[in-house]
């Protein structure tokens, strides 16, 4: 079964990638240390994967009865953060990438979520879009 990707997830991914590119440009302006860039892009990849996992778990969990949905979404949230903690912990012991910049890259998911209305507007190509309740973006 082939499913189309959710438009909100696509816009979130575009925002994460744009954040990563802008952050990388600023980072290269101040430092050429490859460990910083590698850390940043590990974080961006984690943000992309985390956004997909969040979408997948919400899509699946909201079809469940209330008690099962709460358990499922809670468990999936713990899994998502456990992966982040494990990767960050591993990076702290390996001199391969900077864990601080990995965290900065992961924060691209948060920045992208806040900028989602702007990304949506840019993708739609219209000055003003209306949400189903009539609210203008």
């Amino acid at each position: 079964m082939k499913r189309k990707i959710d438009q909100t997830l696509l816009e979130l991914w575009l925002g994460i990638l744009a954040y990563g590119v802008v952050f990388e440009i600023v980072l290269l302006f101040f430092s050429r240390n490859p460990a910083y860039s590698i850390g940043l892009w590990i974080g961006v990849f984690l943000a992309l994967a985390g956004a997909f996992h969040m979408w997948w778990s919400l899509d699946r969990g909201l079809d469940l009865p209330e008690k099962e949905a709460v358990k499922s979404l809670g468990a999936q949230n713990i899994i998502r953060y456990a992966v982040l903690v494990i990767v960050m912990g591993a990076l702290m012991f390996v001199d391969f990438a900077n864990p601080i910049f990995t965290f900065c890259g992961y924060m691209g998911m948060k920045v992208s979520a806040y900028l989602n209305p702007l990304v949506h507007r840019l993708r739609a190509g219209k000055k003003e879009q209306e949400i189903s309740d009539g609210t203008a973006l």
Side-chain angles (χ1 to χ4, degrees), residues 92-109:
M92 290 171 68
F93 292 108
V94 179
D95 194 26
F96 174 67
N98 189 310
I100 294 173
F101 284 100
T102 300
F103 182 75
C104 290
Y106 190 76
M107 286 297 104
M109 186 178 357

Side-chain angles (χ1 to χ4, degrees), residues 7-90:
Q7 294 302 307
T8 304
L9 177 62
L10 178 64
E11 291 168 359
L12 190 62
W13 279 352
L14 290 173
I16 292 168
L17 289 172
Y19 168 85
V21 169
V22 170
F23 201 106
E24 178 69 25
I25 291 169
V26 172
L27 186 61
L28 288 175
F29 183 72
F30 290 105
S31 174
R32 302 277 179 174
N33 188 343
Y36 295 168
S37 293
I38 293 169
L40 173 69
W41 289 104
I42 289 172
V44 168
F45 174 75
L46 284 172
L48 292 170
F52 177 79
H53 183 260
M54 192 180 306
W55 167 79
W56 175 80
S57 61
L58 283 170
D59 189 50
R60 193 179 69 140
L62 292 177
D63 290 336
L64 299 172
E66 183 180 355
K67 287 185 179 181
E68 289 179 37
V70 169
K71 286 181 191 176
S72 174
L73 293 175
Q76 296 301 322
N77 192 28
I78 290 170
I79 290 170
R80 193 168 39 255
Y81 283 109
V83 168
L84 178 64
V85 167
I86 290 168
V87 170
M88 294 289 287

